[in-house]
Amino acid sequence: MSEALIELREVSRRFGTPNGALSRLLGQRPAPIVHAVDHVSLSIRPGEVVGLVGESGCGKSTLGRLAAGILKPSDGQVFWRGRDRADFQAAALKSARLGVQMIFQDPQSSLNPRLRVAEIIGEAPRVHGLIGPEGFDAYVDAQMRRAGLDPTLKRRYPHQFSGGQRQRIGIARALAVQPDMLVCDESVAALDVSIQAQIINLFLDLRTELNLTCLFISHDLGVVEHVSDRVAIMYLGRIVEEAPAEVVFSHPNHPYTQALLAEVPRLENRRSHFGAIQGELPSPLHPPPGCHFHPRCPHAMPRCKVEIPKLREIAPGQKSACHLNDVA
Amino acid sequence: MLLWFLRRLLQAMFVMLAMSLIVFIGLHAIGNPVDILISPEADQAERARIITQLGFDKPLWQQYAYFLQGALHGDLGRSFVFNEPALQLILQRMPATLELAVTAVLLSVLVGLPLGLFAGLYPNSFAGRAVMAGSILGFSLPGFWVGLMLIMVFAVSLGWLPSSGRGTTAALFGVQWSFLTRDGLAHLVLPALNLSLFNISLVLRLARAGVRETMPLDYIRFARAKGLSPTRVVFVHVLRNILIPVVTVVGLELGSTIAFSVVTESVFAWPGMGKLIIDSINVLDRPVIVAYLMIVVVMFVTINLVVDLLYTALDPRVRLGGRA
Amino acid sequence: MAVLEKPVAAPRARPREQSPFARIAGDFAQSPVAIAGLVVIVVIILLAVTASLIAPQNPYDLAQLDIMDGRLPPGSSSADGLTFWLGTDDQGRDMLSGILYGLRISLIVGAGSALVAGLVGTSLGLTAAYAGGRVEAAIMRLVDLQLSFPAILVALMILAALGKGVVNVMLALVIVEWASYARTARGAALAERAREYIEAAECLALPKWRVVFRHLLPNCLPPLIVIGTIQVARAIALEATLSFLGLGVPITEPSLGLLIANGYQYMLSGKYWISFYPGIALLVTIMAINLVGDQLRDVLNPRLQR
Amino acid sequence: AQNVTVAVGAAVGSIDPHYYTLTPNTSLDANVFERLVETDAQARPMPGLATSWKLVDDRTWELKLRDASFHDGTPFTAEDVAYTIARVPTVVNSPGSFAIYTRPITGVEIVDAHTIRLSTANVYPLLPTDLAQLFIIPHKLGANPTTEDFNSGKNAIGTGPYRFVSYKPGDRIELERNDGYWGTKPAWQHITYRMITNDAARTAAMLSGDVAMIDQVPTADIARLRADKGVSLWETVSLRIIYLALDQGRDGPTPFVTGPNGEILAKNPLKDLRVRQALSIAINRPAIVQRVMEGAAIPSAQFLPPGSFSYVPGLVPPPTDIAKAKALLAAAGFPNGLKITLHGSNDRYLNDAKIVQAIGQMWTRIGVQTAVETQPWSSYAGHATKLEYSVFLQGWSISSGEASNPLRALVATFDAAKGRGTVNRGRYSNPALDSLIDKAVSTADDGAREALLIQATRMAMDDVAIIPLHNQKNTWATRAGFTYVPRADEETRAYDLRPAN
Amino acid sequence: MTLELRDLHTHFDTRVGALRAVDGVSLSVRRGEVLGLVGESGSGKSVTGFSIIGLVDPPGRIVSGQVLFQGRDITGLPEPELRKLRGNRIAMIFQDPMMTLNPVLRIDTQRIETVRAHDNVSHVVARTRARDALGQVGIPSPDERLSSYPHQFSGGMRQRVAIAIALLHNPALIIADEPTTALDVTIQAQILAVVQKLAAERGTSLLWITHDLSVVAGLADRVAVMYAGRIVESGSVDAVLDRPMHHYTAGLIGSVPSRNKRGAKLLQIPGMTPSPLDRPAGCAFRTRCSAATETCAQEPPLTMPEPDRTLRCFHPVRI
Ligand SMILES: Nc1ncnc2c1ncn2[C@@H]1O[C@H](COP(=O)(O)OP(=O)(O)OP(=O)(O)O)[C@@H](O)[C@H]1O
Ligand SMILES: Nc1ncnc2c1ncn2[C@@H]1O[C@H](COP(=O)(O)OP(=O)(O)OP(=O)(O)O)[C@@H](O)[C@H]1O
Ligand SMILES: [Mg+2]
Ligand SMILES: [Mg+2]
């Protein structure tokens, strides 16, 4: 196992609820806390693509933002190339931050509508001195071409592009600062099937070309299965299972993973009988105690209600957090 | 709740403190009340006597300290002109202003909201555009001018309404109100209209913008897809939504309407606080000005509180604290 | 079928190289009323700028006035043959000249104070939104304080402390107005701040000031521009009110507002022109500004964009 | 009609007749309370609660009191007079104390219920004039009656033709006829005094018939009201003089007068009589009266209007003479004129801002480039009091109706100890004039005193101590069918309003 | 036949010209049948749905064609008549469950008003009916839930509430415009289960709009593929998904990840969807089609290569 490029060690991130009129009304009373990410450990080796799957609101994006350094963890540490990111000093911090870039879910809102494409892509390299003023145009052209965009369009504004092209602009912007790692936060979710295929192909190309490390966040299991080396399954702020992709899709261990896989609609399954895990996604404001999944779990035991299961290695390379594994 | 209330109170106190300080310094900059107040007939000895009596011989900071001392005991000083407690003077005049301002705000909602709905529902119709253009009149003509026009048309030429002043009043809860009598109402109409013109435009514009933003939303389409009548869609689904910004803004405007009814009150000889304050400013009657501003601050804070509560009542979403 | 060799061409129907400005201008041109408003504004500005060249009289020069020409109805002529097309005021000032010069002052006062208040208020509002915490609380309390302070008192204090004059009137208006900009800017910035492009900029480790002024600010401009057009109008009207209360610009250099205020007392006596014509000029000006502002608001509102 | 509404243009601030020497207050009080000495419409003394007064010796006055009774039925006696005189100086916080009128009185002696003797320290011929300012209140109010109790009506007990009913500050005062009044019965059962301070609103109230009478008719509306058949106008020349004060206190440069190119002058040109004369004769007073005041004033060259005690016969405004003014300036060493900033208030006197502008026009024609600056009284007054201006507009209401008052207040040398020159804000000083004034005020004989006052007035005016502009006229408007007696002292009395015929 | 569209054209008048959002759509839905309508974003699926219930707002309008509902043409019906159908005989469910319910009105208000819009019943009766419908979509303890506000529900629950509202009057046709796109797989499965049961038990017809082929595969009986405002291919699910005849359909199926080798590049359709303002004449797909020839510049006719199957293509995919 080569050394991890990035390692999240027991990171947590909590949010207070936004300051609405009522919470103002309630004043100083301790604001409800969301444990968006709850003691999560995850390490990613150079060149690896890790898929992160989970229901909406389970904390995938927050984890991605923690990895990208946009958010600071409330607890825990993030190690970048073996060093705690909290210890970095100014210049090193900057290069560490540039080392991980994020590609956002919504190609519309992640581009500043008032900047031209060339500025969007070229601003950061210029500001950080990666290129001088004279090399600007050539550099931007190269970045655009690499992302599959026609450089003659660089004087346009984001709104003049289609969704797929906008996502390419986002990719070009991220790659322009020559990162080692990308966090792709549902980067294809907003796109059409046919465009989605184009963007996934672009990722696959870039990955081989630049040997990029990737944290690939998605709730589309099909896509994750296709691109990832390793997959982590998240439920309400915690990672419940983590294993190489083939293992997860062939031998899911955690009941949640199993349910998830059972319900993925597939082209092959005609007139299938849908009958889902019952129960609603619990509110992250008031997560159930013990194992978060127990209210919906068909195998729940009394112990699940009180004790948080640990994420343990249950087979080589496969980790799962479920008390059932102790029983078996 | 209590904590929140205390915090609001603290904020209000802070603002009041800052306000009183600014007023002391500001009024000092404007001029010396002595020069204006003291009767010109008075000779130098008489002047000196009054100056000491009113404490103007002391340095400003000392006068301020005295004021603070009094304020802590609920005494905001006595008016130089009226020789009555400043607070009492203002409270005496408050019902008149409140009544005027509340009527004006009501009027602005009653007139502005329907017009705004109309203009929003038919943005391209001639009438819709005309309403919008007309609404500009509401804030482009100086209030004093419009006020006089109203008097000229409705009182002098047509003789329908009295030209100025407050009419017969009747007591309610121990306070004199004019909206309880016919004569009082007649006197109220013109000044309230004058004062509400700006707010009518404001509400109208807000309502229109709200309709324009709400109409294309999915839930309005869904309501229509359910087969609801247009009336229900507009007056239940759309209206409930646009009421939220309207209430917020109208609430805040009620505060400024009260605070700035000065011009209307002077044009219509309306015996409210606004008239008192402008007269007091003219003679630098400091205790009255300070007390007035204190009350305005308290009023602002109270109104903000009520608006917040109303907001919570109107928009169930804020209960969770998460405004999308 | 590799994409890399063949960059995707843009969809053909998209108009070429259209900047947001060009688009806004295009959309703006949709409304003939707004265009008319814009034309009126341009004409008014031209009239104001060239007032000294086209006005029959210099209404600010006491030597050119004669009270014996005072309060003449429109169309009368003076002893030395000057025709007063819109009549004269009580000082024998030609109303037409007075309006032209007054327009200039009103526009300078209105636009100037709105601009300065806009700059100050916007910076404070953005700072509040971006910095959050104590800074935000302090700035917003200041806004509250300002909003509960009667404009007239502010103006009186400023004018008393600094004396009369156009600049001081503007200063007073700035102090009265900045708070609404700060509020608006903060509101807009709070909404924009949550957008992902701000996160993207932070992720790219761009300096803070750059994020605020290059990314945040331009996107908060639309509501500010709209507030701005309204505030220009409000400032002009407020200046008129200050004049009415004797706190406006110097009496010998009347603005539109002061002309109206001066004519106010002649309204009942039938000498309508002293107040009426400046009133019309003020109305037309503010109407035009607001028509343009209304259209701008619709054009700048992304939700209403086609 | 038994109910009549009167609109006044200035707010009544207090019902306490001894709180503030302010015309709006005294004007209202005059309906409820009475004074020992009253004044007629032309401000000449006449019997009030005192039927007669005479000097028993140089320094002692004896007054015979009328048989009258207060609103509550208690008879009016000498005790009430003594009580009133004692109370006046004790009113706290009074910014305009009536004590200036009682201070000369050093002794009070009640001879009998209807006779009282007042003694003064010096010879003081003006005592009756002072007493004409003093409202009598009943002694049964006891020690330290408060202003609030007057406002609430508890203490508002006088002997006047109307009794007080209610007071709504800033709005209205209701009065009821006093049926036990000793004099001619008032015409109206019920009077409502409304305060409409906004000029246009007041005129509108008149035009719309909401009120039967207004005071302070705005000059702009006089023509219109005069043309209206439903309205009658009543006017009289006022005791208020509008004048320009000139800084003569500074020897060196005065702040707002410079050479024609803005150069600072070593010497204060206003100290040169020729300059003052030039400025005065440059002003076309009839034009101001006619165009700015719309006839509601008379051009003036002295303090008092014709017909007053101590009016200087033949002292009329100099004819406007631009050539002569220029010549005088040149003679004074300013052939190219001067540059002056003329200051004025804009909310204090009738048309004050317009007057200074008009003067600005006129001075420009003699080569004095004039800038005009106006301010609200609240800040103007302070600057004027601190003597910060060079040439500035002032007004003075001559409450006593004779020249000693303006002479002492406006042109006598400023002297705090002697209480002289209290509003001499130009700091004009002329010892000869001072002694003349001193002599006049201690001359008991009316004829001799008038001669002295005339002499003093002439001296001040010849020296252009101030530049008088005009005497205002006071104008009232009533609906047709009423008559009113216009008063020179600006007081609005419901008593003087009667049905025509 | 519950619904039949005949050559429907819906256009939007824009500044730059008429935008042909729906450009000759013909399709039919039988009683109790689920028809999946798939296609790229912007291909006109939603506009087709809105055209059916007459909710195309200006500047849009139905230019020509017929909407036959239970045999009756409803395109020209006056608004009050249409309103009688809407929510009653034809119901619609929208894509975003967060946005379909009015956030400031209580759930029961929004449901009761729907009952009372079509049936003149008392408030109490309406309330009971509303509650029963909630139970049908599997919301536990509907009594308590009725008086909540939408924000107190999760997305899945809201979508079920919306479906429950659609069910209130036992409609003959439900138009579902991507109702599960915003939801998670587990919640999506719950919704699909409800819908499936419904079609089976009540004979309600469903027009299920989506761009997710996998969902269509699991749910629908027949599928219609839309491209650039037209139906390019339709037929039974098995036939179309297993043996696509239009090149666009084939490309779409080919780009689904599970059809490709793991980690390998996906098959993809080259190029972009043409702008609806500026479509190539003839077959709109020809610029991206590998089999395109000059013939394709002609309008491809609607053919019926197999029973119960339609196609618009000159060069169908050969299997
Ligand atoms: N800035 C924030 N302030 C407060 N709460 C937040 C914030 N960001 C995220 N949360 C909360 O944290 C939880 C996890 O959010 P996150 O965006 O990471 O979820 P996600 O898995 O990415 O969901 P999705 O699939 O919808 O994007 C949610 O409950 C969300 O409401
Ligand atoms: N109100 C409108 N004004 C102008 N054009 C519109 C309007 N509504 C839809 N369109 C256009 O009509 C075309 C079809 O839109 P429609 O919403 O039906 O697409 P869709 O297939 O439902 O796409 P998606 O999968 O993104 O929902 C699009 O090009 C769209 O831009
Ligand atoms: Mg996310
Ligand atoms: Mg759609």
Side-chain angles (χ1 to χ4, degrees), chain E residues 12 19 21 40-47 178 211 276:
Chain E
F12 287 89
L19 186 152
E40 290 184 317
S41 184
S43 56
K45 306 184 295 292
S46 300
V47 175
E178 315 204 26
H211 60 237

Side-chain angles (χ1 to χ4, degrees), chain D residues 183-501:
Chain D
T184 323
K185 293 279 170 296
W188 318 105
Q189 177 66 34
H190 192 101
I191 294 283
T192 306
Y193 241 70
R194 284 188 44 198
M195 307 166 210
I196 305 182
T197 46
N198 184 280
D199 284 347
R202 204 163 54 252
T203 306
M206 178 88 261
L207 287 172
S208 65
D210 288 353
V211 299
M213 172 166 84
I214 61 172
D215 67 0
Q216 300 183 23
V217 176
T219 54
D221 298 325
I222 288 178
R224 154 118 196 223
L225 290 172
R226 186 163 279 140
D228 193 325
K229 281 194 188 56
V231 176
S232 317
L233 286 181
W234 311 90
E235 60 178 31
T236 187
V237 177
S238 155
L239 293 176
R240 195 181 285 276
I241 172 81
I242 301 296
Y243 65 94
L244 292 180
L246 308 162
D247 175 23
Q248 296 154 74
R250 293 179 180 83
D251 288 322
T254 180
F256 290 101
V257 180
T258 63
N261 303 314
E263 65 273 23
I264 292 171
L265 301 169
K267 273 183 60 195
N268 177 0
L270 297 174
K271 294 212 80 159
D272 189 323
L273 176 62
R274 289 166 296 191
V275 173
R276 301 202 292 272
Q277 279 171 336
L279 291 178
S280 179
I281 60 170
I283 297 173
N284 184 348
R285 291 173 179 81
I288 291 178
V289 164
Q290 184 205 337
R291 307 299 309 179
V292 177
M293 298 299 291
E294 305 200 40
I298 52 166
S300 174
Q302 52 176 309
F303 301 115
L304 288 158
S308 318
F309 182 83
S310 65
Y311 173 79
V312 185
L315 184 54
V316 291
T320 315
D321 191 335
I322 292 177
K324 189 173 161 205
K326 281 185 173 163
L328 280 166
L329 277 180
F334 304 106
N336 297 322
L338 289 165
K339 218 174 181 165
I340 287 182
T341 303
L342 172 61
H343 287 92
S345 55
N346 57 17
D347 57 355
R348 174 75 176 180
Y349 308 111
L350 268 183
N351 302 324
D352 42 9
K354 291 181 191 162
I355 296 168
V356 285
Q357 277 191 89
I359 293 172
Q361 289 181 16
M362 293 161 183
W363 282 355
T364 315
R365 303 214 158 86
I366 60 162
V368 174
Q369 307 161 44
T370 312
V372 171
E373 229 182 274
T374 60
Q375 278 189 359
W377 180 252
S378 53
S379 82
Y380 174 81
H383 294 294
T385 314
K386 286 193 210 116
L387 314 179
E388 288 171 10
Y389 297 143
S390 296
V391 187
F392 53 111
L393 188 78
Q394 294 277 327
W396 184 252
S397 176
I398 303 160
S399 53
S400 65
E402 45 78 69
S404 71
N405 162 301
L407 281 168
R408 274 177 60 86
L410 308 185
V411 293
T413 307
F414 179 83
D415 186 338
K418 292 196 183 130
R420 258 193 339 215
T422 41
V423 274
N424 180 356
R425 293 180 182 142
R427 289 293 186 263
Y428 171 78
S429 174
N430 181 348
L433 180 64
D434 293 344
S435 55
L436 208 52
I437 295 171
D438 282 348
K439 195 164 155 210
V441 294
S442 53
T443 304
D445 178 66
D446 281 352
R449 193 168 79 246
E450 184 168 20
L452 284 168
L453 289 174
I454 287 175
Q455 194 188 344
T457 304
R458 203 183 279 284
M459 182 185 280
M461 293 305 151
D462 285 349
D463 207 16
V464 198
I466 58 168
I467 302 180
L469 298 172
H470 53 252
N471 289 108
Q472 288 184 0
K473 281 184 188 166
N474 298 334
T475 317
W476 286 259
T478 63
R479 302 296 308 172
F482 292 84
T483 61
Y484 182 71
V485 185
R487 295 183 61 90
D489 60 11
E490 301 179 354
E491 283 181 6
T492 301
R493 297 191 187 186
Y495 185 67
D496 293 333
L497 180 68
R498 299 195 168 262
N501 69 52

Side-chain angles (χ1 to χ4, degrees), chain C residues 62-63 65-71 90-91 93 156 160 163-164 244 246-247 251-252 264-266 268-269 271, chain D residues 198 200 203-204 220-221 224 287-288 290-291 294 346 351 353-354 357-358 360-362 364-365 370 372 374 376:
Chain C
L62 286 179
L65 310 182
D66 189 343
I67 48 167
M68 298 317 283
D69 293 333
R71 302 189 304 275
D90 56 275
Q91 292 293 323
R93 190 177 282 121
L156 191 66
K164 266 192 171 187
F244 170 67
L247 299 171
I251 184 108
T252 46
Y264 173 82
Q265 52 184 306
Y266 294 103
L268 289 168
S269 58
K271 302 190 178 73
Chain D
N198 184 280
T203 306
D221 298 325
R224 154 118 196 223
I288 291 178
Q290 184 205 337
R291 307 299 309 179
E294 305 200 40
N346 57 17
N351 302 324
K354 291 181 191 162
Q357 277 191 89
Q361 289 181 16
M362 293 161 183
T364 315
R365 303 214 158 86
T370 312
V372 171
T374 60

